[in-house]
Amino acid sequence: MDRNPSPPCSDAEEEKGDAVGNTVYSKHWLFSVLTRLIEVISPAEPDPAASPEGARAELDEEMENDICKVWDMSMDEDVALFLQEFNAPDIFMGVFAKSKCPRLTEICVGILGNMACFQDICMSISKDENLGQVLLQRLCDSDSPTLLETSRLLLTCLSQPEVANVWVERIRENPSVYDCVCFIMSSSTNVDLLVKVGEVVDKLFDLDEELMLNWIKNGTCHSVGPSGDDSPEELPDFKIVPCILEAAKQVRSDNPEGLDVYMHILQLLTTVDEGIQAIVQAPDGGKETWSLLYDLVCQELCQPDDPPIIVQEQKTVLASILSVLSAMFASQTEQEYTRMRKNMPLIGSLIRILQYMEGCGKRADENSKESEQEETGRTDVNEEDFHLKILKDICCELLSNMLQELTKENTLEGLHQGHLNEHTCSCAFQNLLPLYFASVESFLEVLREADQTLADNLEKRFPSLKVHT
């Protein structure tokens, strides 16, 4: 059976008064489905043959078919308004309170999610405190499809400036949200769910630094979380960073957009001192975080066999990853994993990213000239330039810090492995000068000990360095 069958239409011969707004959907049919939904959750007499207490119920096939049609129809604003006028959110509240059928709960949350796409309805849903609390409780559900629809609904509401603060405050006042979100990130293998939950966390942290700080410091209290039945389950003492890393590992291969989301969450953590400390003061001293990000840069993203234009596609995720690595390197120079003997491939990858950006920059200049008369084209190019500039700035900062830490032995190893040569060093100098002159000068002194000829050649290419030596 299709997930969302095609919605019904009013017969052409029926009076126009039966149509919902400007649609061809039937008011009478919608009334009948919602009425049957009320009957499903409020039977006149208990059914002796009903499922035992606590057991999951199955949704009648005809009812599922019809309520899925409503789900599909609710993407239309006229239908959404009609459902609002018919107090559908109150009916769904009854479903959440009484239904033992996960599929029915999923569909009802999904319909609310569609309705929330329209500003006035979103404001009405958001201001209903009881409904808001019940929806947050859905995050403790054990059913992945319901969790996915709940996350989609929350993200929709958080994306509406008029009501975002209502939800931020509501979430801040509900400690169980933290635990349930961490539980999902650390244990789910459903990539779609992990991506959507990640988008919710990313939006929350972006909207409210105080909430982010609370979640960074959290992990000391236990809350009720998902369980297979109605009995509460005490969740582990979650810490936010390991949960983010676990989710990132799950999505990294299957969903590049999801990886981008989780890397941006880590980047947001590094915007506050508490976040950096949460990363580097983990039981492993931040080694797991560094290893994951190092592997992404050196083994997966912007590789030697990729065309240079790949940096355009990966610019946001690269910027997030390098920003976190830069923050970790600056604060953890004594950690074993930051030792230069292990990180020459990372230096090579940073220089390759800069090389690729130079290629993209030349191409952007050519495109800009070709579309000089096209306003939209110029806007797109400027936006691309802006994002690439951010990536370049972050890349140069990390590269300069790492070059300053190189010893003669590290440099010889880099030369032997091919990460350092005249071409790569020239690219590095070209991008680092003049802002990071001290770093370049320091590296050149070490390079002179390792390879005098290469150092001399670079001095000839960059006369400003020779003046100061």
Side-chain angles (χ1 to χ4, degrees):
M1 183 179 69
D2 291 338
R3 180 178 177 81
N4 289 330
S6 299
C9 302
S10 300
D11 292 334
E13 297 179 359
E14 289 186 15
E15 295 184 5
K16 291 183 179 179
D18 185 49
V20 177
N22 293 320
T23 74
V24 292
Y25 304 136
S26 166
K27 286 182 181 179
H28 180 267
W29 183 87
L30 270 170
F31 272 126
S32 70
V33 175
L34 292 173
T35 301
R36 285 160 53 206
L37 182 57
I38 294 172
E39 292 171 355
V40 166
I41 60 174
S42 303
E45 295 181 5
D47 183 357
S51 301
E53 185 71 21
R56 291 190 171 195
E58 295 297 326
L59 188 59
D60 173 80
E61 185 174 343
E62 182 181 356
M63 184 64 197
E64 178 175 358
N65 192 35
D66 286 344
I67 197 68
C68 276
K69 291 176 183 177
V70 177
W71 188 0
D72 200 49
M73 293 164 64
S74 63
M75 290 186 290
D76 186 287
E77 186 172 8
D78 285 334
V79 174
L81 289 168
F82 178 82
L83 292 172
Q84 177 78 358
E85 292 170 7
F86 195 73
N87 295 322
D90 291 339
I91 298 174
F92 299 152
M93 281 267 286
V95 171
F96 304 148
K98 300 178 182 179
S99 174
K100 299 292 184 183
C101 176
R103 176 63 170 154
L104 182 58
T105 302
E106 172 206 355
I107 295 169
C108 291
V109 177
I111 294 172
L112 278 175
N114 283 351
M115 294 171 65
C117 293
F118 306 105
Q119 184 177 335
D120 290 343
I121 300 176
C122 186
M123 292 181 68
S124 175
I125 291 173
S126 301
K127 291 178 180 178
D128 187 329
E129 187 62 30
N130 290 333
L131 180 57
Q133 295 295 336
V134 168
L135 288 172
L136 290 184
Q137 290 172 12
R138 291 300 96 210
L139 286 173
C140 293
D141 206 294
S142 59
D143 181 61
S144 291
T146 298
L147 289 170
L148 177 59
E149 293 306 318
T150 303
S151 301
R152 185 174 73 89
L153 170 57
L154 288 176
L155 184 62
T156 300
C157 294
L158 289 168
S159 300
Q160 296 269 7
E162 297 80 9
V163 299
N165 288 339
V166 174
W167 285 98
V168 169
E169 184 64 29
R170 188 174 285 149
I171 291 170
R172 192 189 295 136
E173 293 174 354
N174 281 267
S176 63
V177 173
Y178 168 87
D179 287 304
C180 292
V181 165
C182 284
F183 181 82
I184 294 168
M185 290 194 297
S186 63
S187 62
S188 179
T189 57
N190 185 318
V191 172
D192 290 337
L193 172 58
L194 288 172
V195 172
K196 195 58 65 176
V197 167
E199 289 175 343
V200 171
V201 174
D202 188 43
K203 191 68 176 177
L204 283 171
F205 286 3
D206 196 38
L207 286 171
D208 193 84
E209 185 176 292
E210 181 184 345
L211 183 142
M212 181 173 72
L213 287 169
N214 289 342
W215 281 26
I216 291 170
K217 298 171 185 176
N218 214 325
T220 56
C221 6
H222 299 282
S223 301
V224 173
S227 62
D229 50 33
D230 286 342
S231 59
E233 175 182 314
E234 192 176 78
L235 292 175
D237 188 12
F238 286 118
K239 299 293 184 183
I240 190 69
V241 173
C243 296
I244 294 169
L245 292 179
E246 190 59 38
K249 291 174 188 175
Q250 286 290 332
V251 305
R252 65 185 287 187
S253 300
D254 299 322
N255 195 300
E257 293 78 13
L259 179 64
D260 198 343
V261 168
Y262 279 99
M263 293 302 100
H264 189 254
I265 295 173
L266 283 176
Q267 182 183 7
L268 287 174
L269 291 182
T270 64
T271 61
V272 294
D273 289 339
E274 293 87 345
I276 297 174
Q277 295 308 309
I279 293 173
V280 300
Q281 291 183 358
D284 63 356
K287 182 179 179 181
E288 185 179 357
T289 303
W290 182 274
S291 297
L292 173 62
L293 303 189
Y294 176 95
D295 194 47
L296 287 169
V297 174
C298 296
Q299 302 296 329
E300 293 189 22
L301 300 173
C302 205
Q303 294 302 292
D305 55 349
D306 289 328
I309 196 67
I310 194 70
V311 77
Q312 287 279 15
E313 179 184 332
Q314 298 174 350
K315 58 185 177 293
T316 56
V317 67
L318 281 170
S320 295
I321 292 172
L322 298 185
S323 181
V324 178
L325 286 172
S326 185
M328 293 182 71
F329 188 81
S331 62
Q332 291 292 89
T333 52
E334 298 306 314
Q335 283 288 350
E336 177 63 23
Y337 61 75
T338 62
R339 299 289 191 228
M340 284 300 99
R341 61 185 175 79
K342 293 187 175 183
N343 286 304
M344 286 310 305
L346 179 55
I347 288 180
S349 294
L350 294 175
I351 296 174
R352 182 168 60 251
I353 291 170
L354 291 172
Q355 290 173 320
Y356 282 10
M357 279 193 287
E358 286 181 353
C360 287
K362 293 175 183 177
R363 184 165 181 169
D365 289 341
E366 293 172 2
N367 291 340
S368 181
K369 292 176 183 177
E370 291 174 4
S371 60
E372 193 171 335
Q373 304 302 320
E374 300 176 16
E375 186 66 31
T376 303
R378 287 204 302 273
T379 301
D380 292 343
V381 169
N382 289 337
E383 184 177 350
E384 294 293 344
D385 286 347
F386 174 74
H387 289 294
L388 284 174
K389 183 181 184 305
I390 291 175
L391 174 57
K392 178 182 176 180
D393 290 346
I394 296 170
C395 189
C396 286
E397 180 181 7
L398 177 56
L399 180 59
S400 69
N401 288 336
M402 297 188 81
L403 289 179
Q404 278 190 310
E405 297 296 324
L406 288 178
T407 64
K408 176 183 176 181
E409 291 71 23
N410 304 148
T411 304
L412 285 169
E413 187 175 0
L415 292 168
H416 175 71
Q417 294 173 349
H419 301 302
L420 297 177
N421 53 49
E422 187 168 343
H423 181 62
T424 59
C425 289
S426 294
C427 176
F429 287 12
Q430 182 70 40
N431 285 277
L432 294 176
L433 293 172
L435 185 60
Y436 296 101
F437 183 90
S439 295
V440 174
E441 190 176 41
S442 171
F443 168 64
L444 191 60
E445 286 298 318
V446 175
L447 183 60
R448 186 174 286 106
E449 297 178 24
D451 189 329
Q452 180 69 50
T453 302
L454 176 55
D456 291 342
N457 290 342
L458 289 169
E459 280 189 339
K460 292 176 184 177
R461 283 199 177 199
F462 299 90
S464 62
L465 292 171
K466 193 170 184 178
V467 172
H468 291 78
T469 57

